[in-house]
Each structure stands twice: as C-alpha cells, then as structure tokens.
Coordinates of all heavy atoms in Angstrom, one line a residue:
A522 N 0.7 22.0 9.0 CA 0.7 22.9 10.1 C -0.2 22.3 11.2 O 0.0 22.6 12.4 CB 0.4 24.3 9.8
S523 N -1.2 21.6 10.9 CA -2.2 21.0 11.8 C -1.4 20.0 12.7 O -1.9 19.8 13.9 CB -3.3 20.4 11.2 OG -2.9 19.3 10.3
A524 N -0.3 19.5 12.4 CA 0.5 18.7 13.2 C 1.6 19.4 13.8 O 2.8 19.2 13.5 CB 1.1 17.4 12.3
A525 N 1.2 20.2 14.8 CA 2.1 21.2 15.4 C 3.2 20.6 16.2 O 4.4 21.2 16.3 CB 1.3 22.2 16.2
A526 N 3.0 19.4 16.6 CA 4.0 18.7 17.4 C 4.9 17.7 16.7 O 5.8 17.1 17.3 CB 3.3 17.9 18.6
A527 N 4.8 17.7 15.4 CA 5.4 16.8 14.6 C 6.9 17.1 14.3 O 7.1 18.3 13.8 CB 4.7 16.5 13.3
Y528 N 7.9 16.3 14.4 CA 9.2 16.4 13.9 C 9.2 16.3 12.3 O 8.6 15.3 11.8 CB 10.2 15.4 14.5 CG 11.5 15.6 14.1 CD1 12.3 16.8 14.4 CD2 12.2 14.8 13.0 CE1 13.6 17.0 13.9 CE2 13.4 15.0 12.6 CZ 14.1 16.1 13.1 OH 15.3 16.4 12.6
P529 N 9.7 17.3 11.6 CA 9.4 17.4 10.2 C 10.3 16.4 9.3 O 10.1 16.4 8.1 CB 9.7 18.8 9.9 CG 10.7 19.2 10.9 CD 10.4 18.5 12.2
I530 N 11.3 15.7 9.8 CA 12.1 14.8 9.0 C 12.0 13.4 9.5 O 12.9 12.8 9.8 CB 13.6 15.3 8.9 CG1 13.6 16.8 8.7 CG2 14.1 14.6 7.6 CD1 15.2 17.2 8.5
S531 N 10.7 13.0 9.8 CA 10.4 11.7 10.2 C 10.3 10.7 9.0 O 10.1 11.2 7.8 CB 9.2 11.6 11.0 OG 9.3 12.5 12.2
T532 N 10.6 9.5 9.2 CA 10.6 8.5 8.1 C 10.1 7.1 8.5 O 10.6 6.7 9.6 CB 11.9 8.5 7.4 OG1 11.9 7.6 6.3 CG2 13.0 8.2 8.3
F533 N 9.5 6.4 7.6 CA 9.4 5.0 7.8 C 10.6 4.4 7.3 O 11.3 4.9 6.3 CB 8.1 4.5 7.1 CG 6.8 4.8 7.8 CD1 5.9 5.6 7.5 CD2 6.6 3.9 9.0 CE1 4.8 5.9 8.2 CE2 5.3 4.2 9.7 CZ 4.5 5.1 9.2
T534 N 10.9 3.1 7.6 CA 11.9 2.4 7.0 C 11.2 1.1 6.6 O 10.3 0.6 7.3 CB 13.2 2.2 7.8 OG1 14.2 1.4 7.1 CG2 12.9 1.5 9.2
Y535 N 11.6 0.4 5.5 CA 10.8 -0.7 5.0 C 11.7 -2.0 4.9 O 12.9 -1.9 4.5 CB 10.5 -0.3 3.4 CG 9.6 0.9 3.5 CD1 10.3 2.2 3.3 CD2 8.2 0.9 3.5 CE1 9.5 3.3 3.3 CE2 7.5 2.1 3.3 CZ 8.0 3.2 3.3 OH 7.3 4.4 3.2
A536 N 11.0 -3.2 5.0 CA 11.6 -4.4 4.7 C 11.1 -4.6 3.2 O 10.0 -4.5 2.8 CB 11.0 -5.5 5.6
L537 N 12.1 -5.1 2.4 CA 11.9 -5.3 1.1 C 12.0 -6.8 0.8 O 13.1 -7.5 1.0 CB 12.9 -4.6 0.1 CG 13.1 -3.1 0.5 CD1 14.1 -2.6 -0.3 CD2 11.8 -2.2 0.2
V538 N 10.9 -7.5 0.4 CA 10.9 -9.0 0.2 C 10.4 -9.3 -1.0 O 9.5 -8.7 -1.7 CB 10.2 -9.6 1.3 CG1 10.9 -9.3 2.7 CG2 8.8 -9.1 1.4
P539 N 10.8 -10.5 -1.7 CA 10.1 -11.1 -2.9 C 8.9 -11.7 -2.6 O 8.7 -12.4 -1.5 CB 11.1 -12.1 -3.4 CG 11.9 -12.5 -2.2 CD 11.9 -11.3 -1.3
K540 N 7.8 -11.4 -3.4 CA 6.5 -12.0 -3.2 C 6.7 -13.5 -3.3 O 6.0 -14.3 -2.6 CB 5.5 -11.5 -4.2 CG 4.1 -12.0 -4.1 CD 3.2 -11.2 -5.0 CE 1.7 -11.8 -4.8 NZ 0.8 -11.2 -5.8
D541 N 7.5 -13.9 -4.2 CA 7.8 -15.5 -4.5 C 9.0 -15.8 -3.9 O 10.2 -15.5 -4.4 CB 7.7 -15.6 -6.0 CG 7.9 -17.0 -6.4 OD1 7.6 -17.9 -5.6 OD2 8.1 -17.4 -7.5
A542 N 9.1 -16.3 -2.7 CA 10.2 -16.6 -1.9 C 10.3 -18.1 -1.4 O 9.3 -18.6 -1.0 CB 10.3 -15.7 -0.6
S543 N 11.4 -18.7 -1.5 CA 11.7 -20.0 -1.1 C 11.6 -20.2 0.4 O 11.3 -21.3 0.9 CB 13.1 -20.6 -1.6 OG 14.1 -19.8 -1.1
K544 N 11.9 -19.1 1.1 CA 11.8 -19.1 2.6 C 10.5 -18.2 3.1 O 10.6 -17.5 3.9 CB 13.1 -18.5 3.2 CG 14.3 -19.3 2.9 CD 15.5 -18.6 3.6 CE 16.8 -19.3 3.2 NZ 18.0 -18.6 3.8
A545 N 9.4 -18.5 2.4 CA 8.3 -17.7 2.6 C 7.8 -17.7 4.0 O 7.5 -16.6 4.5 CB 7.2 -18.1 1.6
K546 N 7.7 -18.9 4.5 CA 7.1 -18.9 6.0 C 8.1 -18.3 6.9 O 7.6 -17.6 7.9 CB 6.8 -20.3 6.3 CG 6.1 -20.5 7.7 CD 5.9 -22.0 8.1 CE 5.1 -22.0 9.4 NZ 5.8 -21.3 10.5
T547 N 9.4 -18.6 6.8 CA 10.3 -18.0 7.6 C 10.4 -16.4 7.5 O 10.4 -15.8 8.6 CB 11.8 -18.5 7.3 OG1 11.7 -20.0 7.2 CG2 12.8 -18.1 8.3
L548 N 10.2 -15.9 6.3 CA 10.1 -14.6 6.1 C 8.9 -14.0 6.8 O 8.9 -13.0 7.5 CB 10.2 -14.2 4.7 CG 11.6 -13.9 4.1 CD1 11.3 -13.9 2.5 CD2 12.2 -12.8 4.6
R549 N 7.7 -14.6 6.5 CA 6.5 -14.1 7.1 C 6.5 -14.1 8.6 O 6.0 -13.1 9.2 CB 5.2 -15.0 6.6 CG 4.9 -14.9 5.1 CD 3.5 -15.5 5.0 NE 3.4 -16.9 5.4 CZ 3.6 -17.9 4.7 NH1 4.0 -17.7 3.4 NH2 3.5 -19.1 5.2
D550 N 7.1 -15.1 9.2 CA 7.0 -15.2 10.7 C 8.0 -14.0 11.2 O 7.6 -13.4 12.2 CB 7.6 -16.6 11.1 CG 6.5 -17.7 10.8 OD1 5.5 -17.4 10.6 OD2 7.0 -18.8 11.0
F551 N 9.2 -13.9 10.6 CA 10.0 -12.8 11.1 C 9.4 -11.4 10.9 O 9.5 -10.5 11.9 CB 11.4 -12.9 10.4 CG 12.3 -11.8 10.8 CD1 12.7 -11.6 12.1 CD2 12.9 -11.0 9.8 CE1 13.5 -10.5 12.4 CE2 13.6 -9.9 10.2 CZ 14.0 -9.7 11.5
L552 N 8.8 -11.2 9.7 CA 8.3 -9.9 9.5 C 7.1 -9.5 10.4 O 6.8 -8.5 10.9 CB 7.8 -9.7 8.0 CG 8.9 -9.7 7.0 CD1 8.3 -9.8 5.6 CD2 9.8 -8.6 7.1
T553 N 6.3 -10.6 10.7 CA 5.2 -10.5 11.7 C 5.7 -10.2 13.0 O 5.1 -9.3 13.8 CB 4.4 -11.7 11.7 OG1 3.8 -12.0 10.3 CG2 3.2 -11.6 12.7
Y554 N 6.8 -10.8 13.5 CA 7.5 -10.5 14.8 C 7.9 -9.0 14.7 O 7.8 -8.3 15.7 CB 8.6 -11.4 14.9 CG 9.6 -10.9 16.0 CD1 9.5 -11.2 17.4 CD2 10.8 -10.2 15.5 CE1 10.3 -10.7 18.2 CE2 11.6 -9.7 16.5 CZ 11.5 -10.0 17.8 OH 12.4 -9.5 18.7
A555 N 8.6 -8.6 13.7 CA 9.2 -7.2 13.6 C 8.1 -6.2 13.8 O 8.4 -5.1 14.5 CB 10.0 -7.1 12.3

C-alpha cells in the first residue's frame, strides 16, 4: 500500500541465455545494448 501510485499487474520480462554459449560475446553485446 505504500506504493500508492503503482499499477498492480506490472512485470519484468527476461532474456534467458546459456551461461556456456558459443556466441558468448555476441550475446553479451546484444544484452548489454538491450
């Protein structure tokens, strides 16, 4: 209730990536951009 101005069905959305990836640098760069 202290967040009186908050919309109550807000949500984050996630990128899901493998820690061990053959395109690791390409992924890191794109995620950093996003």
Side-chain angles (χ1 to χ4, degrees):
S523 57
Y528 180 71
I530 323 179
S531 298
T532 182
F533 282 106
T534 185
Y535 303 85
L537 311 175
V538 295
K540 184 176 181 180
D541 184 15
S543 63
K544 298 180 184 177
K546 184 179 186 305
T547 309
L548 274 172
R549 288 198 305 269
D550 290 347
F551 175 58
L552 293 174
T553 300
Y554 161 86

